[in-house]
Amino acid sequence: AQSVAQPEDQVNVAEGNPLTVKCTYSVSGNPYLFWYVQYPNRGLQFLLKYITGDNLVKGSYGFEAEFNKSQTSFHLKKPSALVSDSALYFCAVRDRTGGFKTIFGAGTRLFVKA
Amino acid sequence: ETGVTQTPRHLVMGMTNKKSLKCEQHLGHNAMYWYKQSAKKPLELMFVYSLEERVENNSVPSRFSPECPNSSHLFLHLHTLQPEDSALYLCASSQVAGQDSNQPQHFGDGTRLSIL
């Protein structure tokens, strides 16, 4: 069965420190990979995506993600966290041949402390 | 006005009521989605419309009835809901070409639904 795992319910990091939010997936073929962020009382906002090519993808607000095919992972990273990065982060995958369905992880809450 | 707009933002209803959620997108996209977001659960895809035709229906109870009158509007009609249906309902849109699309979805801010 296709699935997305975000192993950490919550990640805590101090402002200015690097952050990583983990994501692994189980999807056949070469899926498209996405990260979204959700702020309180808002919908999800797109951060970045991986289609093909360079394994390091850069996105909005200084975020980047590293694709690792052998480990089927797509971890979200940022070199220096901001308090305003505190939010709920979702990893998502989409099978290139599987129709319209995007599978989302359960989300990881990021707390950045000043 | 741009983006994806959902109304109302909050809705409280009794189990015997009938209400509708509305979604409108101003992005020129050709696919629209309804999701259910419950606490500590992955987003649940409920319905997908592509070019105003329903293409996904993920075993959603019949008390939820979608309607897509045109490519810019999507409704979710609610009838005889249960307390476990209380959740945030998110609408999204995207541009798809056939069944292969790497375009991200654009989400509205949701309707927070509470069933008494």
Side-chain angles (χ1 to χ4, degrees), chain B:
Chain B
E1 191 174 354
T2 59
V4 179
T5 303
Q6 289 187 244
T7 54
R9 291 295 311 275
H10 301 273
L11 179 62
V12 179
M13 57 187 286
M15 289 192 286
T16 58
N17 290 157
K18 284 186 181 181
K19 295 286 184 183
S20 296
L21 309 185
K22 179 182 176 181
C23 176
E24 184 173 1
Q25 60 99 359
H26 305 273
L27 300 167
H29 290 162
N30 58 10
M32 296 187 76
Y33 311 75
W34 279 117
Y35 288 91
K36 177 183 179 183
Q37 184 177 25
S38 304
K40 299 188 178 181
K41 284 187 174 182
L43 260 65
E44 299 174 45
L45 178 64
M46 301 176 73
F47 303 103
V48 181
Y49 278 82
S50 176
L51 299 173
E52 299 150 47
E53 180 180 336
R54 192 189 306 182
V55 294
E56 289 274 354
N57 180 356
N58 287 350
S59 302
V60 179
S62 60
R63 57 186 183 267
F64 294 92
S65 174
E67 179 189 2
C68 187
N70 56 60
S71 60
S72 299
H73 293 86
L74 184 65
F75 295 89
L76 187 63
H77 303 300
L78 315 172
H79 176 50
T80 321
L81 295 192
Q82 303 299 309
E84 62 265 28
D85 297 324
S86 297
L88 182 67
Y89 289 83
L90 292 166
C91 173
S93 70
S94 71
Q95 188 68 18
V96 296
Q99 292 196 14
D100 179 14
S101 173
N102 58 41
Q103 297 304 305
Q105 294 173 42
H106 294 251
F107 286 80
D109 287 336
T111 295
R112 175 71 62 186
L113 177 64
S114 299
I115 306 301
L116 300 178

